[in-house]
Amino acid sequence: MKYRVEYDSMGEVRVPEGKYWGAQTERSRNNFPIGINEETMPKEIIHAFGILKRAAAEANFELIPERMTKEKLDAISRVCGEITAGELSEHFPLVVWQTGSGTQSNMNANEVIANRANGLAGKKLLHPNDDVNMSQSSNDTFPTAMHISAVLSIEDRLLPALDLLINTFVRLEEENAGVVKSGRTHLQDATPIAFSQEISGWRASLEKDRKMIKSSLEGLYELSLGGTAVGTGLNAPEGFGEAAARAVARLTGKPFVSADNKFHSLTSKDELVFAHGALKALAADMMKIANDIRWLASGPRNGLAEIYIPENEPGSSIMPGKVNPTQCEAVTMVAVQVMGNDAAVGIAASQGNFELNVFMPVCAYNFLQSVRLLADAIRSFNDNCASGIIANREKMRSNLYGSLMLVTALNPHIGYENAAKVAKLAYKENITLREACVRLGFMSAEKFDEIFRPEDMV
């Protein structure tokens, strides 16, 4: 492999020829060979750096044009456009497991932008620190990238997927109006419920989760740019944070603003903890919904078998004809991962010491993985499972009329204790509730038929 020599404040570094990164990126690449190829900095963070570096250059051009010239702004903007388009991904090789402030990834962005722009210009136009990093610090750019990437991932990827599943449940409610089945509590038979009511519970859970996720975005819209090293704004012109936030808002179409208190925004990650809590709530509900669906579809002969779900692939290497609820299983595994990520995000956020949190890369990594997994799993679950749910109405009716808990309808007529006797006799003798009630002398067969209407119990 051919190399070129790059320099930083510590001296010479050999960098692979053809790569736009510079000395500090290469030092990090060599010093942190941890999880290479599996756990590089999330692409969402790199995308966010492309946005924020352009926004910072625009703010600098507005406030200090004598330093950030139009030529430099245009060069930075062009390369940042390539970064956000994913065209320079190969030049961002660093892993998550680096300095806790994300300094090396900030410098990776600075070096790539400078070197790419200089190559296009055919001259030494930009310096990574003096120009691309002007008015910034890793300490305020990395948390800004975290918030930008979190907002874009949630709004542009997760919420649309969630809306798909909500709409599917709305359709299933309408299609199954009037279908009555046995309810279940404690995994035991309970009083009747309409299948549409059961589905509405799933839908309402997701709608609640959506509202909670949306409410968490308010804190994520706040950006720490302008705080520089410790929150004082040293080396940044007055108004830089506000100007940069306006530029980010314009570039993304999202209502980003400058954080009121930069001392807080540099060291606290509470907004990410709060938002991930909403993601965990969604994961918990998806776990519940997926479990309900695979239980209702269990069988096909020795389970509940009250619904049919799409058959997507063979389910066994040894049992011919077996088909499993694989989409449900994928969702539940994703839910477990998100719950684990929540612990990592919370612990990472608790490690703010004095003026800086130095667990930001691992916090961002877990947060963005949760959003990505939930979005992908929900979309797959919707397309390959939920959208194809069909009620087995015959089985639902059979289970409904075989349920001993229909005896609850007799309470107002013969009392709780007598109704319990009816249920116990029916179970012991394997007879119907009607036969048991008549045998015990609590009610005539005609009277029983008059008041015993399961469809009216919902």
Side-chain angles (χ1 to χ4, degrees), residues 320-332:
K322 194 173 193 296
V323 179
N324 297 329
T326 52
Q327 289 292 321
C328 296
E329 292 165 5
V331 165
T332 54

Side-chain angles (χ1 to χ4, degrees), residues 169 173 199-210 285:
F169 287 148
E173 284 181 67
I199 297 169
S200 77
W202 302 338
R203 170 187 52 77
S205 295
L206 299 183
E207 290 173 340
K208 293 278 189 181
D209 294 328
R210 193 185 196 285
D285 281 331

Side-chain angles (χ1 to χ4, degrees), residues 19-40:
K19 300 301 182 184
Y20 287 124
W21 68 73
Q24 292 194 48
T25 301
E26 185 65 15
R27 288 190 192 279
S28 181
R29 212 166 68 96
N30 293 329
N31 291 337
F32 298 98
I34 307 170
I36 291 177
N37 298 326
E38 290 84 28
E39 294 162 353
T40 53

